[in-house]
Each structure stands twice: as structure tokens, then as C-alpha cells.
């Protein structure tokens, strides 16, 4: 009877996996401001109100230059948005934030008011990983927030496996690494060995402000300020933590799977 009850329950509720990316994405929570936008032309001359309130020093403004916001360091506390008198820094409510190059996360220069989103893998790598990607997740000193949002992608609502993307237990069975955490000195050797154990060619994805630049721990003597200090990185997904939708969007962009059945 239990088996039939289960089948009946599933039939009653129908498919619970979201239609995205072939349908609209789920709405972000109200408290999630999404990606930031920086219009440096709105900065008042001599105003540095946003600089001292940033807890990770993600905002700088050098004399005679426009304000620059590093979304790789940003923990999305929105303190800068609240104090800016001219609304030069605004929240876009856009979940899309993943980039291929670290420098593409720096906003403020003319033509770089918004994030330059990630392009797909090229040539051989796209052919190898475009239909099937196995990742070994490494928490290199994380608080479990980014790890939790990554795990959400395996639930029935998101069903990451439908895109051919799966997490595996051994780096020897993986095509690449998905790294979270600020990369503590205690995890440096473990991360190096895990990377070395992944067969070539391989890719690396840094998820969250900690894995990109150290997050709120940036500059601490026991922190290496992100994954790039140890291994090469192919995709950066900012956030603290990134929303599961932001992580999924980055993965699909990397594999050129957005809009594909």
C-alpha cells in the first residue's frame, strides 16, 4: 500500500521541477537585491560616503578618478546603496552575476556600469563538458552558506541533473572543482591535491565572495583570499552567498545551455 500511496501522492502534485531556463526564472526573495549597478557619472565631486561603510573594502575612489566597486569582494550588504546621496550605486534585482574573468566584476568605469556576463567554454572544452559535467565540491574554509545554496540545486525543485551536471565524491571522477570558502592556510594543501587529482583537461568554479576574494575574512593572515591564489579559476560566481539561481545561471552560461532543450 505504501508504494501505491507514494505514486498517488506524486501524481497529485505533478512535476515540481521549475521550468527555468525554458520558462521564467523564479522570483528572487524581496531581501535579495540582486546584482549592483554603478553609474560613476552620478558620483558627487568629493563624495566618498560609500567607501568607509563597505566592510570588505570592495569600494575605492582614488583622487581624480571615478568610484570603483569590486563585486568579487562585495558581500551585498547594501550599505553603500543606503548611504549614496545621488543613487550612483543601485540594486538591479538581476540574478545574473557569473563572469569568466576576475576583472569583469569591477564596476564603475565607463562601459562597465554593469557586470559583463560569462561567455561559454571554447572549442574542445565545450565539446567535452557541454553535455555532461561532473564536479567535486571543495569547501576550503567556508561557513556552509554557499555550500547549502549549492546543495539546493540537487533538490527536486531545481534538479541540476537534468542538465547533465552532477557532483561526485572523488576528484578522480570529476571534470573540475566547485570551490567555496575563503581558502584557509589549513586547506591550501588539500585544495592543491584535489585539483591535481582531477584528470586534465579540467575547469574550476569559484562560488561566493570568500572563494573569489576572501569575503569578510579578506586580509586575515590565515586566509589566502580566494581560490585564485592556489588554482586557476574559469568561472566566478559572486554573492554572500549566491542565490541558487545565480549559481545555476553561471553553470549554464559556462556550458552554453541557456535556451537549449
Amino acid at each position: 500500500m505504501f508504494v501505491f500511496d507514494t505514486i498517488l501522492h506524486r501524481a497529485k502534485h505533478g512535476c515540481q521541477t521549475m521550468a527555468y531556463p525554458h520558462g521564467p526564472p523564479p522570483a528572487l526573495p524581496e531581501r535579495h537585491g540582486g546584482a549592483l549597478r554603478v553609474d560613476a557619472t552620478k558620483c558627487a565631486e568629493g563624495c566618498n560616503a560609500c567607501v568607509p561603510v563597505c566592510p570588505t573594502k570592495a569600494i575605492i575612489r582614488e583622487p581624480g578618478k571615478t568610484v570603483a566597486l569590486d563585486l568579487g569582494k562585495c558581500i551585498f550588504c547594501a550599505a553603500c546603496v543606503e548611504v549614496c546621496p545621488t543613487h550612483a550605486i543601485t540594486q538591479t534585482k538581476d540574478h545574473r552575476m557569473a563572469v569568466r574573468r576576475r576583472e569583469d566584476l569591477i564596476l564603475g568605469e565607463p562601459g562597465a556600469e554593469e557586470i559583463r556576463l560569462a561567455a561559454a567554454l571554447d572549442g574542445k572544452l565545450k565539446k567535452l563538458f557541454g553535455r555532461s559535467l561532473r564536479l567535486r565540491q571543495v569547501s576550503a574554509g567556508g561557513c556552509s552558506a554557499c555550500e547549502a545554496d549549492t546543495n539546493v540545486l540537487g533538490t527536486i525543485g531545481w534538479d541540476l541533473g537534468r542538465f547533465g551536471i552532477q557532483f561526485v565524491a572523488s576528484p578522480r571522477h570529476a571534470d573540475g572543482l566547485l570551490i567555496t570558502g575563503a581558502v584557509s592556510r589549513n586547506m591550501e594543501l588539500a585544495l592543491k591535491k584535489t585539483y591535481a587529482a582531477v584528470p586534465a583537461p579540467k575547469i574550476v568554479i569559484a562560488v561566493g565572495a570568500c572563494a573569489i576574494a576572501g569575503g569578510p575574512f579578506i586580509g586575515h593572515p590565515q586566509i589566502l583570499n580566494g581560490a585564485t591564489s592556489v588554482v586557476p579559476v574559469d568561472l566566478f560566481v559572486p554573492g554572500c552567498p549566491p542565490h541558487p539561481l545565480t549559481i545555476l545561471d553561471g553553470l549554464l552560461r559556462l556550458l552554453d545551455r541557456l535556451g537549449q532543450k
Side-chain angles (χ1 to χ4, degrees):
M1 286 296 294
F2 177 77
V3 173
F4 291 109
D5 288 343
T6 301
I7 295 174
L8 182 62
H9 175 80
R10 292 294 298 117
K12 182 187 296 185
H13 286 80
C15 179
Q16 297 182 27
T17 302
M18 67 183 68
Y20 177 82
H22 309 305
L28 293 175
E30 183 61 30
R31 65 182 180 276
H32 194 300
L36 297 180
R37 186 180 191 277
V38 180
D39 186 350
T41 63
K42 292 184 177 180
C43 284
E45 186 176 350
C47 177
N48 289 312
C50 59
V51 176
V53 301
C54 181
T56 57
K57 297 181 173 57
I59 305 175
I60 60 171
R61 187 175 190 183
E62 298 178 0
K65 294 186 177 181
T66 59
V67 67
L69 169 59
D70 186 348
L71 279 190
K73 295 180 179 179
C74 180
I75 60 171
F76 295 83
C77 65
C80 57
V81 177
E82 295 172 2
V83 303
C84 181
T86 59
H87 306 291
I89 304 176
T90 54
Q91 296 173 310
T92 65
K93 303 294 184 182
D94 193 340
H95 66 274
R96 301 171 301 168
M97 288 188 256
V99 302
R100 293 291 307 278
R101 303 185 306 165
R102 178 68 179 86
E103 56 267 32
D104 286 342
L105 289 173
I106 300 176
L107 310 182
E109 292 292 332
E113 292 86 1
E114 298 180 348
I115 295 174
R116 289 144 286 187
L117 296 172
L121 291 169
D122 298 325
K124 182 179 179 180
L125 288 180
K126 180 181 174 182
K127 185 176 181 180
L128 284 173
F129 304 141
R131 293 176 59 85
S132 176
L133 180 65
R134 303 293 184 263
L135 296 172
R136 176 66 170 94
Q137 199 275 320
V138 179
S139 179
C143 70
S144 296
C146 291
E147 294 83 351
D149 277 359
T150 300
N151 289 341
V152 165
L153 295 176
T155 63
I156 191 172
W158 298 85
D159 190 17
L160 186 64
R162 63 192 162 121
F163 303 108
I165 307 172
Q166 295 180 350
F167 292 102
V168 294
S170 170
R172 300 188 186 281
H173 301 158
D175 302 308
L177 304 180
L178 188 148
I179 302 171
T180 56
V183 188
S184 65
R185 294 194 180 277
N186 283 342
M187 282 297 297
E188 179 180 8
L189 180 58
L191 181 55
K192 287 180 177 178
K193 287 186 174 182
T194 305
Y195 178 78
V198 178
K202 47 194 166 186
I203 60 176
V204 176
I205 302 164
V207 171
C210 286
I212 295 174
F217 312 103
I218 188 169
H220 191 283
Q222 294 302 316
I223 294 299
L224 297 177
N225 295 335
T228 53
S229 61
V230 180
V231 295
V233 175
D234 301 283
L235 183 71
F236 300 87
V237 185
C240 189
H243 191 277
L245 184 58
T246 300
I247 303 172
L248 177 59
D249 177 81
L251 292 173
L252 296 183
R253 286 183 185 280
L254 190 68
L255 300 180
D256 199 20
R257 297 292 302 277
L258 284 173
Q260 296 183 19
K261 300 243 185 200

